[in-house]
Amino acid sequence: MESNHEMDQAHQVPDGVDEKTVRALGALSKALETTERARSHLYGFHQLTGTADFELGDAVRLLREAGHDEQADRVECEIVGRNVIPGHWTFQIVEAYNSTYYQPFAAMERDVVDEVGGGRDHLLEALLKTIRRTPHHPDHTATPPS
């Protein structure tokens, strides 16, 4: 196989898989990728909220050192360690999202790719790469150097 002329076997559209199916698989994978991005924001929310809580601890200490015990007590009692939604810290939100939405979605995407795409990932992207690259250009090869 000359790498500038055809995609590697793992990314070639299997026999019997039509263009509409390739596009449908691409849309499904794109939706999962968007969910991955949303999930990363959720982890960012989790980490930022946890960091803020520890920073509140520093603020409480500094308020006490500055002689503002009443305000330090209020912040410590009312905000430090507070649930972000009733009954939940952010780790519980992440866990619920993962088990309720992300993991079933990722498993479904895998099942559909296996069932109708021969288990081959990124068929749409590989097709687009084939269409959009310049033949015989050294920086537009179909596959990495062997």
Side-chain angles (χ1 to χ4, degrees), residues 69-85:
D69 290 336
E70 179 187 337
Q71 289 79 10
D73 289 346
R74 285 177 37 216
V75 171
E76 186 173 49
C77 180
E78 295 295 325
I79 307 300
V80 173
R82 186 181 184 102
N83 290 332
V84 294
I85 60 173

Side-chain angles (χ1 to χ4, degrees), residues 7-23 25 110 112-124 126-127:
M7 192 56 60
D8 61 282
Q9 188 64 33
H11 293 100
Q12 289 179 8
V13 177
D15 291 338
V17 176
D18 62 13
E19 185 179 344
K20 284 184 180 181
T21 299
V22 169
R23 290 191 183 285
L25 291 172
R110 180 78 265 150
V112 172
V113 168
D114 288 348
E115 291 166 8
V116 301
R120 296 180 184 177
D121 293 316
H122 299 110
L123 292 177
L124 180 61
L127 179 62

Side-chain angles (χ1 to χ4, degrees), residues 34-108:
T34 302
T35 298
E36 294 278 6
R37 290 178 58 207
R39 186 171 176 244
S40 73
H41 288 289
L42 191 56
Y43 275 93
F45 163 73
H46 163 60
Q47 291 174 352
L48 288 169
T49 303
T51 298
D53 195 63
F54 282 106
E55 290 169 350
L56 277 171
D58 292 339
V60 166
R61 178 183 51 79
L62 291 168
L63 283 167
R64 287 196 202 306
E65 288 174 7
H68 304 288
D69 290 336
E70 179 187 337
Q71 289 79 10
D73 289 346
R74 285 177 37 216
V75 171
E76 186 173 49
C77 180
E78 295 295 325
I79 307 300
V80 173
R82 186 181 184 102
N83 290 332
V84 294
I85 60 173
H88 292 81
W89 268 22
T90 57
F91 76 90
Q92 292 166 302
I93 297 168
V94 169
E95 288 175 354
Y97 181 85
N98 283 338
S99 65
T100 303
Y101 188 76
Y102 172 73
Q103 291 166 351
F105 189 166
M108 180 65 68

